[in-house]
Amino acid sequence: MSTTTSHTPESDGPVEGPLRPHGRLIHNEATTEIPVHLLFRDDPAPVSVPLKPAVVGRRQGTGEQPRLRSPIPSKARPAAQVDPDLAECPAGVLPGMAGVCAGVGGVAGCVAASWWAGVLPRLAEQALGLPALAGAGLGPAQWAAYAGAGALGLLGFGGLLRGRTGRAWVLGMFGRYRGTVRRTGLLWVNPLLRRRRVDVRLRHWRSEPMPAADGSGVALRAVVLVVWRVRDTARAVLGVEDHETYLRECVEAALARVPVEMPGGTRGAMESAGDALTRLVSADAAPVGLEVFSVRPVCVEYAPEVAAAMHRRRIAALDAQQRSSMLTSVVDSVEDTVTRLTMRGLVELDDYERKVLVRDLTVAFCSGRGEPVA
């Protein structure tokens, strides 16, 4: 009977025995056979896999050649854009006195048409110093005079506009931008234009608590102070539906991308977080005509769902830090005391007496500091 040398999983040395076929390790409906001798080879040869471009194999029987799989280029985040032709430009206005004169002329024309038609009351004629007139009645000519004078009065008074410092008027007609009025005082514009008032002063906005996170991903609530103003009134009013709501959404999106630290951290971390928030919000708000000067967190606290757990964690960390500091101080004091006693020759201690002295001094120092000794 022939014998052969084989290896078994339990021993590393050769075992003499009859030659037996290799057993099966796994064999069922869902797996294939794995010979045992492949799992326990002495010196497996290293397998090197060359790095090659990924290819898509051809399907059998189709004659297709393998094709290189081109990597998918990464797409950068698209920047917000508005109509490039939409930009602030000054609107054509006239001094307010022109509108006042036109309105007064329209009123005077209506009075004259009433006197001509004979419908002006006698008391009004006497007050205005007009001579008594029989009147021609309300005919087509009188109605035409009424229409012309009334249109002149409405055109004069309806186009009056008061410009204030720190305010601007955005004018439009039939959905088209017609210009912006930044002048102050009494002005006259076309009464058919639609007017929208915009505050162009330097403004600050204190947000409500917004969701944020720190560098470890702990949920926070942050209140930020934003200093901003409207730089381009046309884009701020016509580029977005509501520029104040858009600014608030930009701040919330920036808080989701920038980690914010709790109060008590390093000043550099808080400053860097504020600078990053300012940079992100400025980049998002610039295309709609908003100029952001500063975005700073003024109040940061833990979210309600994690506030209790994080409060206990901070208390435990402070307690551990205090205990470590106290223990270091006590150990230094005991070591200094024992060293001075022995070096000056005041006491002679063996190992046991030294241990007892160290223990008693440690208890005394800890009791003096108000710390219980375990």
Side-chain angles (χ1 to χ4, degrees):
M1 180 182 297
S2 62
T3 61
T4 182
T5 301
S6 61
H7 295 272
T8 63
E10 292 80 1
S11 61
D12 296 335
V15 177
E16 299 293 336
L19 178 63
R20 292 181 297 177
H22 298 292
R24 299 174 182 173
L25 181 62
I26 301 175
H27 180 54
N28 55 29
E29 296 83 344
T31 60
T32 59
E33 298 180 3
I34 303 177
V36 177
H37 73 283
L38 294 180
L39 301 177
F40 303 97
R41 295 193 300 179
D42 293 336
D43 297 321
V47 180
S48 60
V49 180
L51 299 177
K52 295 182 179 180
V55 298
V56 179
R58 61 182 180 183
R59 292 176 294 177
Q60 295 182 357
T62 60
E64 296 180 356
Q65 296 297 327
R67 303 184 302 273
L68 290 176
R69 182 181 298 168
S70 58
I72 301 176
S74 59
K75 297 182 179 179
R77 183 173 62 91
Q81 295 181 355
V82 296
D83 187 0
D85 297 332
L86 186 61
E88 180 179 332
C89 61
V93 296
L94 294 177
M97 189 56 64
V100 172
C101 293
V104 171
V107 173
C110 290
V111 172
S114 300
W115 177 74
W116 181 22
V119 297
L120 191 66
R122 181 66 61 183
L123 294 178
E125 291 180 353
Q126 294 177 359
L128 295 175
L130 297 176
L133 186 65
L138 293 175
Q142 286 76 18
W143 285 115
Y146 271 124
L152 182 61
L154 292 176
L155 186 66
F157 289 129
L160 291 178
L161 182 71
R162 186 182 67 168
R164 299 174 57 185
T165 303
R167 300 289 194 278
W169 293 92
V170 177
L171 307 181
M173 178 182 287
F174 306 119
R176 184 178 179 183
Y177 173 64
R178 293 294 184 177
T180 299
V181 179
R182 288 182 178 261
R183 295 172 55 181
T184 59
L186 188 62
L187 307 170
W188 184 87
V189 297
N190 187 350
L192 299 179
L193 295 174
R194 182 183 179 183
R195 313 168 194 178
R196 300 180 183 179
R197 179 179 294 178
V198 184
D199 191 345
V200 295
R201 296 174 297 179
L202 186 65
R203 304 169 63 183
H204 69 278
W205 169 61
R206 185 185 179 96
S207 71
E208 65 278 2
M210 294 183 174
D214 61 5
S216 302
V218 179
L220 304 174
R221 290 290 184 271
V223 177
V224 297
L225 181 66
V226 185
V227 181
W228 65 285
R229 72 175 179 181
V230 175
R231 178 175 50 85
D232 192 313
T233 57
R235 294 192 173 188
V237 174
L238 305 177
V240 290
E241 184 176 359
D242 186 356
H243 61 276
E244 295 184 1
T245 302
Y246 179 81
L247 178 62
R248 181 168 58 250
E249 298 296 337
C250 289
V251 173
E252 188 171 358
L255 279 175
R257 290 181 283 173
V258 177
V260 181
E261 298 296 333
M262 286 289 296
T266 60
R267 183 177 299 273
M270 297 295 292
E271 291 294 333
S272 61
D275 295 340
L277 288 173
T278 303
R279 183 171 59 256
L280 290 176
V281 177
S282 299
D284 292 339
V288 296
L290 304 181
E291 188 173 6
V292 179
F293 298 96
S294 175
V295 180
R296 301 292 177 184
V298 295
C299 180
V300 182
E301 59 185 5
Y302 289 111
E305 60 270 17
V306 300
M310 297 307 298
H311 182 65
R312 291 193 299 267
R313 179 180 176 182
R314 294 192 67 179
I315 291 178
L318 291 175
D319 185 67
Q321 182 179 3
Q322 182 181 3
R323 287 177 178 272
S324 177
S325 177
M326 187 276 301
L327 182 59
T328 302
S329 177
V330 168
V331 170
D332 292 342
S333 300
V334 171
E335 181 183 6
D336 183 66
T337 302
V338 174
T339 301
R340 289 186 178 184
L341 289 175
T342 55
M343 291 185 64
R344 294 182 181 182
L346 298 178
V347 293
E348 295 182 0
L349 304 173
D350 55 10
D351 293 340
Y352 176 76
E353 293 174 342
R354 182 185 296 273
K355 292 179 181 180
V356 172
L357 179 61
V358 169
R359 183 191 62 186
D360 294 342
L361 289 176
T362 302
V363 172
F365 285 148
C366 289
S367 300
R369 295 175 182 269
E371 190 70 19
V373 180

